[in-house]
Amino acid sequence: KAVEAGSLNRAKSVVDWALRQGIDPVEIYLELFRPAMVEIGNLWQLGLASVAQERLASFITGHLMAELRSSFDPERLVADPPVALMACVAEERHDLGLRMVADIFRRDGWEILNLGICVPTESVVDLAKERKPDLVALSATLAPSVEVVRDVIRQLREEECDVAIAVGGFPF
């Protein structure tokens, strides 16, 4: 509720309390941040939250994620870790979910190649051919981006990239 209300201090207090209780940062991501962002997105879609409120909630969540980032350092470094290439496709600017997944994978020892927001199809395919990741994870929150996700997958297959593919976001 603190994120939805737009209060960084209140949200930080909740996160600090959770950490003092021994709650795993993954749970904070999945049980606090994720539901807050889904709720603010739903309110925005219904016209009950403004763009400013959505952006403030995203800023607060992103800020708190940055503060928790060191909690996701790998417990031990692996000489040859699995590699995940991650991207928000097309015009996608909502990257908090992808960043959460990246942090969780990083803690589990993966090397993360996070391309961020608004990544063109060719950029994903070219880097996948070059770096040969074990996983390509694509994120989309807007319905029109689903077709772009399909196109990325089609091109990865056409280029015979031997890679597992995961997709996530609101339409999925």
Side-chain angles (χ1 to χ4, degrees), residues 39-149:
E39 179 64 18
I40 198 73
N42 290 339
L43 291 172
W44 180 82
Q45 282 189 321
L46 295 170
L48 301 173
S50 67
V51 170
Q53 290 168 313
E54 181 274 331
R55 297 285 164 86
L56 183 55
S58 295
F59 166 78
I60 290 168
T61 303
H63 180 86
L64 294 172
M65 286 174 61
E67 286 190 4
L68 288 172
R69 184 113 326 114
S70 65
S71 300
F72 290 93
D73 288 343
E75 292 180 7
R76 62 181 173 83
L77 294 176
V78 178
D80 189 23
V83 176
L85 169 58
M86 300 184 172
C88 294
V89 300
E91 299 304 312
E92 289 293 339
R93 297 182 186 280
H94 298 87
D95 69 338
L96 292 175
L98 187 69
R99 287 171 44 200
M100 287 180 202
V101 171
D103 284 349
I104 294 166
F105 271 58
R106 191 167 62 86
R107 186 170 89 170
D108 287 343
W110 287 66
E111 179 180 346
I112 304 301
L113 308 174
N114 189 343
L115 302 184
I117 64 171
C118 300
V119 181
T121 297
E122 305 78 39
S123 297
V124 175
V125 174
D126 289 347
L127 195 59
K129 289 184 336 190
E130 176 188 327
R131 297 291 295 268
K132 299 181 181 9
D134 300 283
L135 173 70
V136 171
L138 305 171
S139 178
T141 57
L142 306 171
S145 297
V146 172
E147 193 55 43
V148 178
V149 168

